[in-house]
Amino acid sequence: MTTDVLVVHGGSPLRGQIRVRGAKNLVSKAMVAALLGDSPSRLYDVPAIRDVEIVRGLLELHGVRVSDGEEHGELVFDPANVERANVDEINVHAGSSRIPILFCGPLLHKLGHAFIPDLGGCNIGGRPIDFHLQALREMGAVVDKTPSGLDITAPNGLQGTKFELPYPSVGATEQVLLAAVRAHGVTELRNAAVEPEIMDLIAILQKMGAIINVHTDRVIEIEGVDRLRGYTHRPIPDRIEAASWAAAALATGGDVYVQGARQAEMMTFLNLYTKVGGAFDIDDSPTGGIRFWHPGGELKAVLLETDVHPGFMTDWQQPMVVALTQARGLSIVHETVYERRLGYTDALNQMGATIQTYRECLGGTPCRFGRRNFTHSAVIAGPSKLLAHDVVIPDLRAGFSHLIAALAAEGTSRVYGVELIRRGYEDFEAKLAALGASVEKG
Ligand code: EPU
């Protein structure tokens, strides 16, 4: 149940400076990769978020010694004693994260066996794992579905293969990478995802001794090797968190400097930010970041279609929609990555927004959800004056958008279920305070 409540006194602009650290969606995979090494790995800039705690717990259950390094946010992983974990103990983590599925490859290489509990993560669509299992089977894995999870073995080890993903799934691409780096022979993955977090994972695997070629047209070729060593790595910054604060600056008419944010991973976001009428300034010194602000005047309605990289990230969509409620005219949103990622707009409507959702593909590019009856497009009429309303957070990114809406709205809102935000936003209450927000625990 929703135990954590934040009381938000909204209506004032967010102003000030906050910092983002390593990307949640890279750090968690980097932690899994440490399992593959035969010497310790060292990861810097690890954010203190719930998803990291979950992966740390799972690694420790499998015998990896995880310790804090000297630097704040530095973790050291020693995989010298990787062992089978107790199924009941693994199941304590059941339903809490999507990451356990990525343990398959490393555990099969180390132990010849992997048990994967029922998966959790945000409720934003079916979130199947069919591509993962299909790829693992192609590589020689045998998957047995049990009432409590998946029991996976590889009687003859994992073999290189040629595999084409039906859709460039981030997780399935990572699955193939983590399994193929130590498989026998060469794996050719077609229609792979090429998100910056995946490129950073490839960089880590290369440091460990893997041989991975990224070709044009979403083709990744992995030459299996016999052994991998540990890595030392400083991850790319969290471009989702950076964009979330950028959207918060725009929605509240504020000015936020996001230390650690980098232009390279945010180009598509920055283009849309400009079109809406937001302003930014990039400091690309080593300790730099990006300043995002509302330059005054009216924001402009836009067409926003989410897509796999290099498109507009699906995780940028929800925070930006809050800013779009303040733009003059009709904005169109077409969500093409997840089939059910617009449900959170009901809460925004309760706060005074005018958002209508549709099953059709609006925006001009037909997607795979158009004919399947999924409500995956929206029209936002603005600008709307947002007014305080109590809201219950449904998932991580929608949760942050509810929080932004409450900060932008006149009056006092109670935001229930903020523990979900802790999955991916480090210290967000302290950051809100640093930005001058008036929030307190309920
Ligand atoms: N899909 C399948 N079958 C599969 C795998 C995926 O049909 O076996 C479909 C999904 O249902 C979805 C699409 O493919 O419609 C894309 O899913 P993908 O596998 O790319 O997503 P993921 O790996 O589960 C990661 C991030 C998400 C982010 C997406 C897209 C992590 C832990 N999660 O999820 O982040 O939205 O990639 O970029 O890396 C978040 O951080 O809040 C979050 C949800």
Side-chain angles (χ1 to χ4, degrees):
M1 245 322 271
T2 51
T3 47
D4 258 358
V5 186
L6 214 56
V7 180
V8 179
H9 309 287
S12 324
L14 293 185
R15 289 185 197 283
Q17 175 169 341
I18 49 100
R19 176 175 173 218
V20 294
R21 295 204 285 165
K24 160 177 110 51
N25 291 346
L26 175 272
V27 163
S28 45
K29 325 313 171 45
M31 292 172 74
V32 179
L35 261 176
L36 284 163
D38 54 15
S39 54
S41 290
R42 193 175 292 272
L43 188 61
Y44 294 103
D45 259 345
V46 178
I49 52 174
R50 179 83 192 111
D51 271 20
V52 164
E53 279 171 35
I54 293 168
V55 184
R56 180 178 181 153
L58 278 167
L59 286 172
E60 286 171 341
L61 278 181
H62 287 92
V64 178
R65 232 184 50 224
V66 186
S67 51
D68 294 323
E70 277 173 21
E71 199 179 293
H72 176 58
E74 174 186 341
L75 286 183
V76 182
F77 309 93
D78 185 350
N81 297 308
V82 174
E83 58 188 13
R84 265 173 96 138
N86 178 296
V87 169
D88 292 336
E89 284 184 300
I90 299 180
N91 261 326
V92 172
H93 295 272
S96 59
S97 163
R98 307 273 308 159
I99 306 298
I101 188 70
L102 295 177
F103 276 64
C104 292
L107 289 181
L108 287 173
H109 288 303
K110 285 264 164 158
L111 306 170
H113 172 263
F115 173 77
I116 310 300
D118 283 340
L119 298 174
C122 293
N123 182 18
I124 50 184
R127 307 206 70 183
I129 50 167
D130 49 337
F131 306 164
H132 295 248
L133 300 184
Q134 225 176 314
L136 286 167
R137 286 192 179 105
E138 290 280 330
M139 299 181 84
V142 177
V143 182
D144 190 17
K145 290 190 181 165
T146 74
S148 50
L150 300 173
D151 208 55
I152 306 177
T153 51
N156 301 311
L158 293 179
Q159 316 294 326
T161 187
K162 286 191 180 195
F163 187 72
E164 175 156 352
L165 286 171
Y167 181 81
S169 149
V170 169
T173 300
E174 291 160 344
Q175 179 75 261
V176 172
L177 285 168
L178 291 166
V181 279
R182 281 210 42 211
H184 300 293
V186 178
T187 298
E188 185 184 279
L189 180 64
R190 297 192 160 267
N191 205 23
V194 291
E195 268 61 9
E197 290 76 15
I198 289 180
M199 293 304 132
D200 211 29
L201 179 63
I202 291 176
I204 289 174
L205 293 168
Q206 185 178 53
K207 285 177 175 176
M208 299 177 81
I211 302 171
I212 301 169
N213 289 298
V214 181
H215 298 294
T216 48
D217 299 333
R218 301 190 175 278
V219 177
I220 301 180
E221 187 191 67
I222 307 125
E223 296 177 37
V225 296
D226 288 341
R227 60 169 291 263
L228 293 169
R229 54 186 174 269
Y231 64 80
T232 296
H233 193 74
R234 200 171 282 279
I236 59 167
D238 199 309
R239 63 195 177 119
I240 306 177
E241 184 182 356
S244 302
W245 292 113
L250 207 52
T252 62
D255 187 335
V256 176
Y257 183 82
V258 184
Q259 195 194 353
R262 273 203 316 223
Q263 180 182 21
E265 292 90 18
M266 297 188 73
M267 292 243 174
T268 316
F269 179 82
L270 294 172
N271 285 338
L272 191 101
Y273 207 73
T274 302
K275 283 193 192 176
V276 177
F280 62 85
D281 189 27
I282 294 162
D283 167 4
D284 44 22
S285 65
T287 54
I290 305 181
R291 174 185 165 210
F292 297 94
W293 75 98
H294 190 312
E298 281 200 327
L299 298 180
K300 296 180 279 283
V302 290
L303 163 63
L304 186 170
E305 287 189 280
T306 65
D307 206 347
V308 293
H309 189 75
F312 192 91
M313 288 187 90
T314 169
D315 305 283
W316 290 333
Q317 182 252 107
Q318 304 83 339
M320 251 343 254
V321 162
V322 184
L324 290 181
T325 65
Q326 303 309 302
R328 175 153 308 274
L330 297 179
S331 290
I332 293 174
V333 172
H334 183 203
E335 168 60 54
T336 76
V337 179
Y338 290 112
E339 66 271 29
R340 275 203 303 274
R341 219 176 189 185
L342 292 174
Y344 72 95
T345 56
D346 289 348
L348 300 187
N349 283 339
Q350 286 176 344
M351 298 177 99
T354 308
I355 305 175
Q356 177 92 43
T357 53
Y358 296 86
R359 295 176 199 278
E360 292 78 13
C361 295
L362 301 184
T365 318
C367 80
R368 65 212 157 106
F369 303 140
R371 266 185 262 125
R372 291 167 54 201
N373 227 16
F374 291 120
T375 303
H376 72 294
S377 297
V379 175
I380 304 150
S384 302
K385 188 170 174 52
L386 298 181
L387 297 169
H389 200 282
D390 291 353
V391 282
V392 180
I393 285 178
D395 67 66
L396 174 61
R397 305 300 169 192
F400 199 83
S401 83
H402 288 172
L403 190 60
I404 297 175
L407 289 162
E410 290 285 338
T412 300
S413 306
R414 293 172 72 83
V415 182
Y416 291 86
V418 286
E419 64 271 13
L420 280 172
I421 298 182
R422 278 184 239 294
R423 281 195 45 214
Y425 293 86
E426 180 181 43
D427 272 349
F428 73 93
E429 281 142 307
K431 288 179 184 175
L432 286 172
L435 297 175
S438 175
V439 295
E440 72 224 16
K441 282 204 168 27

